[in-house]
Amino acid sequence: MNETIARRLTGLAGITAAAALIVEVPLYFVYSGPPPDANVLTRLLLGIVGLASLVVFMTAFRELVKRVSPAHEWVGSMAFATGLVYATVTLVSSGLEAGAVIAADRPIDPTIDVSGTYILYGSISRLMLALFLTAFGYAVSRTRLLPRWTGRSAYVLAGINVAFVPSLFFGNTPADFYAANGWGTTALMGAVLSYWLLALGISLCRSAGSPVPTH
């Protein structure tokens, strides 16, 4: 895989992941009570597609770093490993929610009723994503394979994710902003990640056909 193909693949995977996640997040706010099964399963399916695309994004990014600067392959591998853990943890959470919804004989709200996902979606995911974003930002800043804003924004998002790690001490009410499964800890962070991925994917696709500005 040459650098141009790696850039295009990384960019397209990022855009695909972003599109799925952007459509998914609003579905969490359609119903005030337990949503119908169709709503829950649709948003989980979108999330699964988005996370699968995110795995492709992270794998291609590692290859891109290797192509641009072999000396920094280690940080590309760090981003890949931590990103893969984040995607895996979130996929497990989705599986637990889907299983509970399918098995229930009445509509349930899996964000409340499936207690095993509280920390997976919350503190664990936030910490893993922070590690991925930090490694991503370091790789971009050292290799200059993308504009500077991509690395700086990754550091900012990493710091925000770290701020949500202690949310596990603040209850399990989804309507609360700062809680183990609060809308700030989960939905807001998912929305921020999706729009960042969209901007990043577009930047990567554009850079495949033209020199990358470093300022």
Side-chain angles (χ1 to χ4, degrees):
M1 182 187 297
N2 61 38
E3 182 180 338
T4 299
I5 293 175
R7 285 182 182 276
R8 286 175 179 166
L9 179 59
T10 309
L12 289 173
I15 292 171
T16 302
L21 296 174
I22 287 171
V23 176
E24 175 199 13
V25 171
L27 295 178
Y28 281 86
F29 302 96
V30 176
Y31 299 93
S32 58
D37 290 359
N39 171 272
V40 178
L41 297 178
T42 298
R43 72 197 191 197
L44 289 174
L45 179 59
L46 287 167
I48 291 168
V49 172
L51 289 165
S53 300
L54 194 58
V55 170
V56 176
F57 170 84
M58 294 162 177
T59 305
F61 177 73
R62 178 181 63 175
E63 182 66 21
L64 179 57
V65 172
K66 178 181 177 180
R67 292 293 176 183
V68 173
S69 178
H72 293 92
E73 181 181 358
W74 67 271
V75 73
S77 296
M78 179 72 73
F80 166 76
T82 53
L84 185 61
V85 172
Y86 164 75
T88 302
V89 166
T90 311
L91 284 168
V92 169
S93 301
S94 299
L96 291 172
E97 284 197 0
V101 168
I102 292 170
D105 57 1
R106 57 180 176 78
I108 65 171
D109 185 350
T111 62
I112 299 174
D113 297 329
V114 186
S115 58
T117 66
Y118 293 170
I119 306 303
L120 294 176
Y121 272 134
S123 298
I124 294 176
S125 290
R126 299 285 69 78
L127 183 57
M128 291 299 102
L129 190 55
L131 290 173
F132 161 74
L133 289 165
T134 301
F136 180 94
Y138 184 84
V140 169
S141 64
R142 291 296 180 178
T143 62
R144 297 185 178 181
L145 61 86
L146 284 170
R148 291 180 182 176
W149 70 262
T150 58
R152 291 172 179 172
S153 61
Y155 286 136
V156 171
L157 291 180
I160 295 173
N161 275 272
V162 169
F164 278 94
V165 173
S167 62
L168 78 168
F169 292 104
F170 294 87
N172 64 330
T173 303
D176 291 345
F177 175 78
Y178 198 85
N181 58 340
W183 66 270
T185 309
T186 56
L188 178 62
M189 289 295 93
V192 171
L193 175 66
S194 62
Y195 284 103
W196 179 77
L197 280 171
L198 179 61
L200 189 64
I202 293 172
S203 180
L204 278 159
C205 287
R206 292 180 63 185
S207 72
S210 60
V212 180
T214 58
H215 58 277

